[in-house]
Amino acid sequence: MVKILLAAALATFMHVAHAKPAFTGTNFSGIYDCKGNNELVGNYQVTVKLKLNRISSYGKFGAYDFSTETDNAVTYRGQAVANGNRLALSYKMTEGKYVEYSTGIAEMKKLSRGRWSFTNLYYEPDDSGGNYGKENCVMQLSSVIKPASKTIVRAKKSS
């Protein structure tokens, strides 16, 4: 019985010892309006949504669900990861039986009123050298995450 208790205690200790630290990074979740350009499409506009995946995020490392919606209502889904203010983005573009991927890198910049912006430099491979592009994205004011308000508790005066 003692051996079983020791084994259970050891297993619990090992699980706690390897637990990931809580997420302490900046939450970049929100909806971003983006203007972009590449050689195949020319100028375009898209809407990007970033949503923090709290289960997979820890320390300063943020994992995000990421989607891009085009003007003609086509949505591409993928992932993004943040380490500090650097962001890597990736999603799959599917058209019929052809599958292409887009991979980008961005630096988040703080704007006023809790908003963020980023410039995404991306690459989309193909059989003739690939397509490179750039998107400038600004968080919509309506998607700013407001911090929880602090409740002030005042002690009652004794009479």
Side-chain angles (χ1 to χ4, degrees), residues 31-107:
I31 301 170
Y32 294 77
D33 293 321
C34 303
K35 293 180 180 180
N37 180 284
N38 68 43
E39 287 184 11
L40 292 179
V41 178
N43 293 329
Y44 62 88
Q45 293 183 9
V46 293
T47 301
V48 166
K49 293 179 185 176
L50 287 173
K51 182 179 178 194
L52 183 68
N53 179 330
R54 289 206 175 270
I55 293 171
S56 300
S57 299
Y58 65 93
K60 297 217 181 277
F61 179 85
Y64 292 85
D65 296 321
F66 164 65
S67 66
T68 298
E69 186 173 328
T70 66
D71 283 341
N72 55 356
V74 175
T75 300
Y76 302 109
R77 299 188 193 291
Q79 304 84 37
V81 292
N83 185 8
N85 284 352
R86 290 178 298 201
L87 189 69
L89 309 112
S90 179
Y91 60 88
K92 180 170 71 171
M93 302 182 300
T94 307
E95 203 172 298
K97 48 185 170 171
Y98 298 102
V99 177
E100 292 180 348
Y101 295 90
S102 180
T103 303
I105 188 163
E107 179 96 14

Side-chain angles (χ1 to χ4, degrees), residues 4-39:
I4 293 172
L5 288 173
L6 285 173
L10 181 60
T12 302
F13 174 75
M14 288 176 59
H15 179 69
V16 170
H18 288 70
K20 294 178 189 170
F23 178 65
T24 58
T26 302
N27 187 344
F28 301 118
S29 294
I31 301 170
Y32 294 77
D33 293 321
C34 303
K35 293 180 180 180
N37 180 284
N38 68 43
E39 287 184 11

